[in-house]
């Protein structure tokens, strides 16, 4: 890969699904043929600019290391990883809540009263911060996916997870008992690339911000 | 097979030769401008920070030298009734890095300009900027960018609003990320939230040449920051006519790195496309008063380890490397 190729990291999954259609018709529209294939580096409508499709949890690392100059990632992931990168804008889409969820009928007070509370989560840092603020202690059960199963199968008393519409929770008989925080998609940039070559990055960053501003 | 991280890099022939040549060139430049070398001990004592490489010497907790400025300040405050005006240093520091890929052992060359209370700082700041401007050419960098900032642009508004401690840290962290929306989040509910958010927007709105200073006019604190703006304008007027070819001068109003330490003008040297700054410095007038000496100081440090990495990974940024 040439140093001249500028890479932008996009997340796969929920955020990525929302993101790609918003860029259609813009200079950063993704090559549709390449998107249909299994390749993870996709050319855009602008020569010399390509998009990397990455798992959200890996994305900040690529940007912080300067491999990708720009990226789009959820603020929940950024807060968990605390990498050294720039966060140029809140793009406003992909909004969701980081919530404490338990089986229907289990209240927050009931969870507080447990002598040994077990919480399953992909977000240990945010969960620990909330526990400290609430003056609670708990055993954290680290999970990387399908956290909704944990309370149903007895792996944990409750989960801390992202909730967008609440549909998945409902399907598993879970309800939100507390909101720990809110998350949305953020435009991030590699510190070195942005500060040393702002003339190259700022127009692309503004283009991305504009693309999300003009579509609801 | 064990995985070894490059925290304690062994320099092989090319890199070792390059380090020696660069150290000699930089120390030579500083010497011709009247800077005299001090070489503080490799072992430092109290107070030892958590980022240092600590060990016990008998019953005493000590550490490998983690910072030249701190080490030199201790030596100067203890041993000199009046400060030597110009000091240079070269060698390694050992500090646990913020990012896992950075080395613990880092090679540096730097200088410090120390004055007694009441002396004009403007000339000293210009002297340091001119020295830093000569360094890219000396190291063989094809092009470089010098960022000028001023820590007071953030520090003074925060102090004027009575914001200190954790809240100030949160605002500074948000600015460091260049995230105005995070500044708003951090100040949510505070009486100065709207003013400081507007100030953050002004600081972050431009990152360009001298015209960037104009962005300060839209800040609610533009009157409070008149002196800083004048100081930066004067510095730009003095430096722009003597800017070497292939060096670009940019004004970075939102430079908050090291804000707990720096009190005034800051300087950072970048190469286009480099992931980390190659040299940095600024004015830190609170260091010596904290050690009981009424002296003011400024300085900069050239990060030779980062330059060695850059020479290995981006040789295209240098004239023919030896």
């Amino acid at each position: 890969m040439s140093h001249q190729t500028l890479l932008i990291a996009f997340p796969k999954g929920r955020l990525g699904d929302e993101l790609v259609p918003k860029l259609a018709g813009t200079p950063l529209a993704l090559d549709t043929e390449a998107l249909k294939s299994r390749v993870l580096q996709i050319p855009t409508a602008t020569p010399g600019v390509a998009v990397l499709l990455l798992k959200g949890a890996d994305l900040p690392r690529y940007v912080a290391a300067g491999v990708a100059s720009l990226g789009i990632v959820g603020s929940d992931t950024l807060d968990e990883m605390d990498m050294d990168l720039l966060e140029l804008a809140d793009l406003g889409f992909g909004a969701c809540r980081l919530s404490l969820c338990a089986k229907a009928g289990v209240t927050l007070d009931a969870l507080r009263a447990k002598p040994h509370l077990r919480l399953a989560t992909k977000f240990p840092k945010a969960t620990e911060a909330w526990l400290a603020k609430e003056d609670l202690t708990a055993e954290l059960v680290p999970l990387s996916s399908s956290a909704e199963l944990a309370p149903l199968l007895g792996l944990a008393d409750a989960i801390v997870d992202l909730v967008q519409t609440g549909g998945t929770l409902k399907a598993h008989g879970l309800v939100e008992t507390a909101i720990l925080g809110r998350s949305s998609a953020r435009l991030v940039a590699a510190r070195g690339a942005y500060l040393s070559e702002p003339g190259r990055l700022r127009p692309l960053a503004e283009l991305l911000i504009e693309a999300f501003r003009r579509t609801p | 097979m064990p995985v070894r991280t490059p925290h304690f890099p062994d320099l092989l022939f090319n890199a070792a030769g390059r380090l020696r040549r660069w150290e000699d060139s930089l120390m030579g430049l500083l010497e011709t401008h009247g800077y005299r070398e001090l070489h503080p001990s490799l072992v430092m004592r109290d107070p030892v920070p958590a980022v240092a490489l600590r060990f016990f010497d008998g019953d005493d907790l000590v550490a490998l030298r983690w910072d030249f400025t701190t080490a030199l300040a201790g030596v100067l405050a203890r041993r000199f009734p009046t400060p030597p005006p110009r000091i240079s240093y070269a060698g390694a520091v050992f500090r646990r890095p913020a990012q896992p890929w950075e080395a613990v052992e880092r090679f540096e060359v730097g200088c410090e300009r120390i004055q007694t209370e009441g002396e004009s700082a403007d000339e000293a700041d210009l002297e340091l900027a001119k020295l830093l401007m000569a360094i890219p050419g000396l190291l063989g960098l094809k092009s470089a960018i010098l960022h000028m900032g001023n820590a007071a642009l953030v520090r003074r508004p925060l102090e004027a609003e009575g914001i200190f401690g954790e809240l100030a840290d949160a605002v500074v962290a948000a600015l460091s990320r260049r995230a105005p929306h995070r500044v708003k989040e951090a100040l949510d509910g505070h009486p100065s939230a709207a003013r400081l958010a507007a100030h953050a927007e002004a600081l972050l709105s431009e990152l360009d040449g001298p015209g960037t200073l104009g962005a300060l006019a839209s800040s609610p604190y533009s009157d409070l920051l008149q002196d800083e703006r004048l100081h930066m304008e004067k510095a730009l007027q003095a430096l722009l006519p003597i800017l070497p070819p292939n060096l670009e001068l940019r004004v970075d109003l939102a430079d908050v790195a090291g804000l707990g330490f720096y009190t005034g003008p800051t300087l950072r040297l970048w190469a286009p496309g480099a992931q980390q700054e190659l040299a940095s410095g600024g004015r830190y007038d609170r260091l010596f008063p904290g050690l009981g000496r009424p002296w003011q100081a400024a300085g900069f440090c050239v990060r030779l380890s980062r330059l060695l990495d850059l020479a290995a990974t981006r040789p295209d940024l240098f004239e023919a490397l030896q």
Side-chain angles (χ1 to χ4, degrees):
Chain A
M1 186 182 63
S2 152
H3 289 301
Q4 300 307 312
T5 306
L6 194 145
L7 295 175
I8 305 177
F10 283 1
K12 292 196 279 188
R14 183 178 55 83
L15 271 186
D17 294 343
E18 284 189 57
L19 196 158
V20 172
K22 288 178 192 284
L23 292 173
T26 75
L28 289 177
L30 273 61
D31 182 298
T32 46
E33 286 306 308
L35 262 181
K36 284 181 206 157
S37 72
R38 294 171 69 91
V39 296
L40 298 174
Q41 186 172 325
I42 314 284
T44 67
T46 302
V49 179
V51 161
L52 293 177
L53 296 179
L54 299 170
K55 196 173 166 187
D58 295 334
L59 193 151
R61 210 170 286 280
Y62 277 79
V63 179
V67 175
S69 299
L70 293 168
I72 293 176
V73 65
S75 57
D76 52 285
T77 307
L78 285 179
D79 292 342
E80 276 303 306
M81 298 187 68
D82 198 22
M83 306 291 284
D84 181 31
L85 35 71
L86 307 182
E87 191 184 314
L88 303 179
D90 180 349
L91 297 174
F93 76 97
C96 47
R97 306 175 291 279
L98 185 67
S99 298
L100 178 71
C101 310
K103 282 196 274 190
V106 177
T107 63
L108 180 58
D109 284 341
L111 292 172
R112 281 181 196 280
K114 280 196 170 286
H116 187 124
L117 177 63
R118 283 174 304 153
L119 299 179
T121 186
K122 284 185 280 186
F123 304 96
K125 201 172 158 196
T127 307
E128 279 172 23
W130 178 77
L131 287 167
K133 202 174 79 180
E134 296 286 316
D135 199 19
L136 289 169
T137 57
E139 175 191 343
L140 295 190
V141 181
L143 290 179
S144 58
S145 63
S146 307
E148 296 84 0
L149 291 173
L152 304 182
L153 302 176
L155 184 64
D157 301 304
I159 61 172
V160 172
D161 206 3
L162 289 178
V163 180
Q164 191 165 32
T165 61
T168 313
L169 285 184
K170 199 173 173 187
H172 290 86
L174 302 176
V175 293
E176 286 177 273
T177 56
I179 295 174
L180 280 60
R182 293 179 192 279
S183 174
S184 57
R186 305 292 164 97
L187 175 62
V188 294
R191 184 177 292 277
Y194 187 83
L195 293 181
S196 71
E197 299 183 296
R200 197 170 174 218
L201 258 64
R202 280 180 86 131
L204 287 171
E206 279 158 20
L207 214 150
L208 283 166
I209 293 168
E210 191 52 38
F212 295 106
R213 213 174 262 152
R214 69 185 166 82
T215 52
Chain B
M1 181 131 175
V3 175
R4 295 189 62 187
T5 53
H7 282 180
F8 303 96
D10 299 314
L11 301 185
L12 303 186
F13 302 114
N14 281 345
R18 214 165 274 152
L19 173 66
R20 177 70 57 218
R21 280 192 297 279
W22 283 347
E23 249 187 28
D24 289 348
S25 304
L26 293 171
M27 291 302 278
L29 171 78
L30 294 170
E31 192 177 350
T32 58
H33 286 82
Y35 287 77
R36 295 173 63 204
E37 183 176 3
L38 276 182
H39 197 86
S41 167
L42 189 59
V43 176
M44 292 172 70
R45 296 178 186 276
D46 57 346
V48 177
V51 293
L53 254 65
R54 298 172 288 184
F55 57 97
F56 277 99
D57 171 28
D59 292 334
D60 297 332
L61 180 65
V62 297
L64 292 180
R65 181 175 58 221
W66 64 85
D67 178 60
F68 267 109
T69 300
T70 309
L72 287 167
V75 173
L76 292 167
R78 275 196 310 273
R79 305 181 73 149
F80 290 82
T82 55
R86 293 177 178 83
I87 290 166
S88 62
Y89 58 83
V93 293
F94 298 79
R95 199 164 52 232
R96 296 191 191 286
Q99 300 296 337
W101 54 79
E102 287 184 279
V104 173
E105 181 181 10
R106 307 163 199 193
F107 306 104
E108 297 181 346
V109 165
C111 64
E112 311 211 336
R113 181 80 174 83
I114 305 165
Q115 299 168 290
T116 48
E117 204 174 31
E119 285 183 49
S120 163
D122 291 7
E123 283 303 312
D125 292 338
L126 269 180
E127 178 181 317
L128 290 167
K130 287 175 186 171
L131 273 173
L132 197 49
M133 280 165 48
I135 285 173
L138 207 62
L139 297 172
L141 279 164
K142 284 181 185 166
S143 62
I145 308 122
L146 184 62
H147 279 200
M148 286 180 58
N150 194 317
L153 297 180
V154 175
R155 181 191 285 273
R156 291 195 65 202
L158 287 176
E159 288 175 353
E161 299 288 2
I163 293 177
F164 301 97
E166 278 183 21
L167 187 54
D169 291 346
V171 174
V172 170
L175 277 169
S176 172
R177 285 186 158 206
R178 297 191 175 242
H181 49 281
R182 293 263 187 185
V183 173
K184 279 183 199 152
E185 278 171 32
L187 291 166
D188 188 29
H190 193 276
S192 69
R195 283 190 298 276
L196 283 166
H199 184 53
E201 295 276 4
L203 297 183
L204 290 164
S205 63
E206 297 278 340
L207 175 58
D208 211 333
T212 300
L213 272 178
L216 278 178
S218 63
S219 163
Y221 303 96
S222 58
D223 290 343
L224 178 74
L225 299 170
Q226 255 326 310
D227 287 350
E228 282 73 19
R229 182 176 173 161
L230 279 174
H231 184 282
M232 292 180 86
E233 277 172 355
K234 274 170 66 181
L236 286 165
Q237 279 165 12
L239 297 175
L240 283 170
I242 55 165
L243 203 62
N246 304 330
L247 181 68
E248 191 185 334
L249 195 62
R250 279 194 207 133
V251 176
D252 183 0
L253 300 173
D255 178 16
V256 291
L259 193 72
F261 181 67
Y262 292 119
T263 55
T266 55
L267 296 166
R268 298 184 191 279
L269 188 70
W270 291 87
Q275 291 313 313
Q276 295 174 306
E277 65 203 16
L278 304 174
S280 61
R283 175 153 293 282
Y284 40 93
D285 283 341
R286 292 183 182 174
L287 178 65
F288 285 104
L291 297 169
R293 297 290 193 185
W295 306 336
Q296 47 196 17
F300 67 76
C301 167
V302 183
R303 321 266 181 201
L304 290 182
S305 296
R306 292 180 182 176
L307 276 151
L308 289 173
D309 285 347
L310 197 65
T313 55
R314 293 289 310 272
D316 56 302
L317 294 178
F318 294 81
E319 305 292 348
L321 277 165
Q322 289 182 326

